[in-house]
Amino acid sequence: MGLRVLAAMSGGVDSAVAAARIAEAGHDVTGVHLALSANPQSHRTGARGCCTIEDSRDARRAADVIGIPFYIWDMAERFQRDVVEDFVAEYAAGRTPNPCLRCNEKIKFAAVLDRALALGFDAVATGHHARLVDGVLSRSVDQGKDQSYVLGVLTREQLGHAIFPLGDSTKVEVRAEAARRGLTVADKPDSHDICFIADGDTRGFLAKRLGAAEGPIVDQGGAVVGSHQGAHGFTIGQRKGLHIDRPAADGRPRYVLSIEPVSNTVTIGPRSALEVTSITCGSPVWNGPSADGELTVQLRAHGEVYGCRYAEAEGGLRIDLDRPATGVAAGQAAVLYSGATVVGSATIVSAS
């Protein structure tokens, strides 16, 4: 007997093919588009942004082709509070959040899943490129599109009600299938960057909400080498847009090493000073098998993978890397893997 499945349909090719596959497998599928903006734009700008009126119409057309019921759920208020306001607050505190990860945690697999279960659905299906192998989250076969990192915050219970139909396919195969099924989104560009910052100007977005606050840019010795209009406009490892008045004596590029929100100070230095081998994390989520044997950790979405070992301490984790990593920022997630299988995740607090 088939399951009652709620298919989250963003208006893109991945979620459309995911819904089609679930329906074709004999499940009772209902499509839902999440309205995440109180004032959505009419059209996307190429691959920037999402959640526009155009996207909702694309999702509805896909549902019609598949032959499944379709609804739009207004999640704008919840999205504003749990994702957008969280994003702004994290930057104000000197951290670098991942809003896609937060959206999966708070919206798609909390608010939406909770409502779906209350309505009698058995599971929520999405177009994420990831696999569930015996209920355990694993990487997609398409390494270039793998999204297990941004799903690493989900609990075992949430994963138990999730379906990821695309994990065994490449993106090329998904687009070809969409074309064969007559889905008009087959060639639609993927969304990039942060969905609620359609023009890609993160610094401008934050400045409008947090305001300008002039502060110093200093070198490792504390000497002032420039100024800025708000520490929230920077992230660890950033190279461009530093506006340094006094270039380094060696002529080499400088990078953001640390951000101090209280004093509104940004410290810069050479790339070598970004290297860290030890990471302290909080709020661990264990959603995979026991962490035995060789482990790896991923520190950013689509970032490098590092061999590692970890130890639990004071409600958090210490992760030691087998080689130095750069650009490790507080607020990001550290997702632990055993081979292709996700073991768990934790939020980065500091690195050294």
Side-chain angles (χ1 to χ4, degrees):
M1 184 176 178
L3 302 174
R4 287 195 68 206
V5 180
L6 186 73
M9 303 182 70
S10 67
V13 61
D14 289 328
S15 59
V17 171
R21 287 185 178 183
I22 294 296
E24 189 173 67
H27 299 296
D28 179 5
V29 181
T30 297
V32 62
H33 178 78
L34 306 181
L36 302 179
S37 173
N39 297 291
Q41 299 182 43
S42 295
H43 300 283
R44 305 164 85 209
T45 304
R48 291 208 180 269
C50 69
C51 314
T52 63
I53 294 173
E54 175 191 4
D55 290 315
S56 66
R57 290 171 178 166
D58 285 343
R60 185 180 294 278
R61 282 192 288 266
D64 288 343
V65 171
I66 299 166
I68 59 175
F70 177 82
Y71 299 91
I72 295 177
W73 284 3
D74 184 357
M75 290 282 179
E77 184 176 342
R78 180 78 180 259
F79 182 79
Q80 177 68 27
R81 183 183 73 236
D82 289 348
V83 179
V84 180
E85 291 179 7
D86 174 82
F87 177 84
V88 174
E90 286 289 281
Y91 264 99
R95 296 185 287 268
T96 305
N98 185 313
C100 294
L101 186 149
R102 195 65 61 234
C103 183
N104 287 328
E105 177 188 19
K106 298 293 187 180
I107 305 299
K108 294 175 183 174
F109 290 95
V112 172
L113 179 57
D114 288 349
R115 184 184 293 186
L117 294 176
L119 291 172
F121 288 94
D122 300 302
V124 169
T126 72
H128 285 101
H129 282 263
R131 291 180 296 153
L132 283 170
V133 181
D134 296 326
V136 177
L137 181 64
S138 298
R139 291 192 184 277
S140 166
V141 299
D142 189 336
Q143 294 297 306
K145 292 294 182 181
D146 174 57
Q147 293 175 297
S148 61
Y149 173 87
V150 294
L151 297 169
V153 293
L154 302 184
T155 66
R156 288 189 179 98
E157 183 179 1
Q158 289 169 328
L159 291 171
H161 293 284
I163 302 176
F164 306 125
L166 305 187
D168 290 318
S169 302
T170 66
K171 187 57 179 270
V172 171
E173 290 169 341
V174 170
R175 288 196 180 279
E177 181 177 334
R180 289 196 304 271
R181 291 182 181 274
L183 297 169
T184 58
V185 292
D187 296 320
K188 186 174 180 178
D190 292 336
S191 292
H192 295 295
D193 301 310
I194 300 167
C195 71
F196 52 86
I197 306 178
D199 61 3
D201 182 10
T202 301
R203 181 177 290 185
F205 176 87
L206 292 168
K208 289 178 182 178
R209 284 153 181 80
L210 296 174
E214 187 171 352
I217 299 177
V218 303
D219 63 19
Q220 289 174 285
V224 177
V225 296
S227 63
H228 61 78
Q229 294 302 309
H232 52 259
F234 299 86
T235 188
I236 303 299
Q238 181 176 329
R239 174 183 173 184
K240 297 182 179 180
L242 300 184
H243 304 299
I244 302 170
D245 298 328
R246 293 170 49 191
D250 60 11
R252 294 181 179 178
R254 289 298 184 258
Y255 300 80
V256 174
L257 303 181
S258 67
I259 301 162
E260 174 46 60
V262 176
S263 63
N264 199 27
T265 300
V266 175
T267 301
I268 64 171
R271 181 176 175 81
S272 59
L274 281 171
E275 294 184 347
V276 301
T277 55
S278 181
I279 301 168
T280 300
C281 302
S283 306
V285 175
W286 301 110
N287 50 20
S290 58
D292 297 326
E294 295 184 4
L295 296 180
T296 58
V297 64
Q298 187 171 327
L299 304 171
R300 298 184 82 93
H302 306 296
E304 288 187 66
V305 174
Y306 300 85
C308 71
R309 58 189 182 279
Y310 81 93
E312 297 186 62
E314 298 180 359
L317 301 177
R318 171 175 167 156
I319 301 174
D320 293 314
L321 308 179
D322 65 359
R323 59 188 174 89
T326 60
V328 179
Q332 294 280 304
V335 179
L336 292 163
Y337 292 82
S338 176
T341 299
V342 173
V343 172
S345 71
T347 302
I348 298 171
V349 175
S350 63
S352 60

